[in-house]
Amino acid sequence: MKFFLRPRTDIVILVVAGLCGLALNLMFIHSKTFVGDDVTQIVYNKLLTQAHSFLDIVFCDQRRIRVYQNLLFALDWRLTPLDTASFRITNLVIHFTNSYLVYLFLRRVFSGPSFIGSAATLLFLLHPYQIGTVTYVMGLTSLIQMFFVLLSLNIYAAHGLNKPWLLAGVLAASIFGKESCVLIPGILVAYSWTIEKMSLKEILSPRFIKVTAAVLLLIPALILFKDPKGMYECVTGYDLSPVLDYWI
């Protein structure tokens, strides 16, 4: 379904929005301060900052299942140690990528006046909450999660279940970005029900179950990679087993 009636106008608006977003974020790029979780997760994490091997980085002692985050943190640390500039530039690049995915999703899904899609993308790009996520180093985790959510939505909106291995691969890969990506199949169900106006019986077809099972099958891998002394252990206070408590 065609959404953008005047694509040249949309491109101009998005370019201007991108430049505005870049200008706003560049105001914070040169701040050298690591704050909050940045300090414990990066600065004091010797397996990350003084890694001797690839596996040291991937399985560093905190949040070890977040593979992409750990790899990007290690790379950024080597580019600008004790300086947040490269970390924030990485966040900015991913945020711009996510904004483009928002643009594509709206283009695929909705019909209506051209400016609506551009305005929605502009809001996503420049919203203060998004800028706060970009400028906070540990916000990378949320940006990666959003990337996989939007990528999954775009694939599902464009191809449905006609390319099952592509969607299953993205869902499986998302788990190693952030563990809450296990909820993406639920987002796809909500999209189908509210926007595509499908019934739950149509949505929850055997093929859909098989494709989204890629996420569930990786839960044992998450448990395997979890640091038994990590910060998420015993968070409920109910004195349950570490694995059960972690998932609650």
Side-chain angles (χ1 to χ4, degrees), residues 101-126:
L101 290 174
V102 169
Y103 171 90
L104 290 180
F105 178 69
L106 294 174
R107 182 177 180 180
R108 288 187 173 107
V109 171
F110 295 110
S111 61
S114 176
F115 73 89
I116 295 178
S118 299
T121 304
L122 177 65
L123 179 62
F124 179 85
L125 186 63
L126 300 180

Side-chain angles (χ1 to χ4, degrees), residues 19 45 83 95 106 117 129 142 164 178 221 234:
L19 292 174
N45 190 345
D83 191 323
H95 178 52
L106 294 174
Y129 177 80
S142 298
K178 190 175 182 181
C234 299

Side-chain angles (χ1 to χ4, degrees), residues 70-170:
N70 294 342
L71 292 174
L72 287 172
F73 280 165
L75 175 61
D76 289 332
W77 182 268
R78 279 151 182 75
L79 292 174
T80 57
L82 295 176
D83 191 323
T84 62
S86 62
F87 292 87
R88 287 171 172 166
I89 290 172
T90 296
N91 286 5
L92 187 59
V93 169
I94 297 177
H95 178 52
F96 279 168
T97 302
N98 289 344
S99 299
Y100 180 65
L101 290 174
V102 169
Y103 171 90
L104 290 180
F105 178 69
L106 294 174
R107 182 177 180 180
R108 288 187 173 107
V109 171
F110 295 110
S111 61
S114 176
F115 73 89
I116 295 178
S118 299
T121 304
L122 177 65
L123 179 62
F124 179 85
L125 186 63
L126 300 180
H127 194 281
Y129 177 80
Q130 299 293 350
I131 293 176
T133 302
V134 172
T135 56
Y136 177 43
V137 171
M138 285 299 298
L140 175 63
T141 308
S142 298
L143 291 170
I144 291 173
Q145 178 182 10
M146 180 57 70
F147 169 78
F148 281 109
V149 169
L150 291 170
L151 183 60
S152 300
L153 279 170
N154 272 280
I155 293 172
Y156 190 61
H159 306 292
L161 298 175
N162 293 324
K163 294 188 177 181
W165 290 108
L166 177 60
L167 181 58
V170 170

Side-chain angles (χ1 to χ4, degrees), residues 178-207:
K178 190 175 182 181
E179 53 274 16
S180 55
C181 284
V182 73
L183 300 175
I184 292 179
I187 296 174
L188 300 182
V189 170
Y191 158 76
S192 300
W193 190 40
T194 58
I195 296 177
E196 296 292 338
K197 305 300 182 183
M198 297 171 62
S199 68
L200 288 178
K201 185 177 180 180
E202 292 175 308
I203 298 168
L204 300 176
S205 64
R207 195 171 192 182

Side-chain angles (χ1 to χ4, degrees), residues 28-35 38 43 77 80-85 87-88 137:
F28 302 94
I29 290 297
H30 294 293
S31 172
K32 296 184 178 182
T33 306
F34 288 95
V35 297
D38 300 349
V43 180
W77 182 268
T80 57
L82 295 176
D83 191 323
T84 62
F87 292 87
R88 287 171 172 166
V137 171

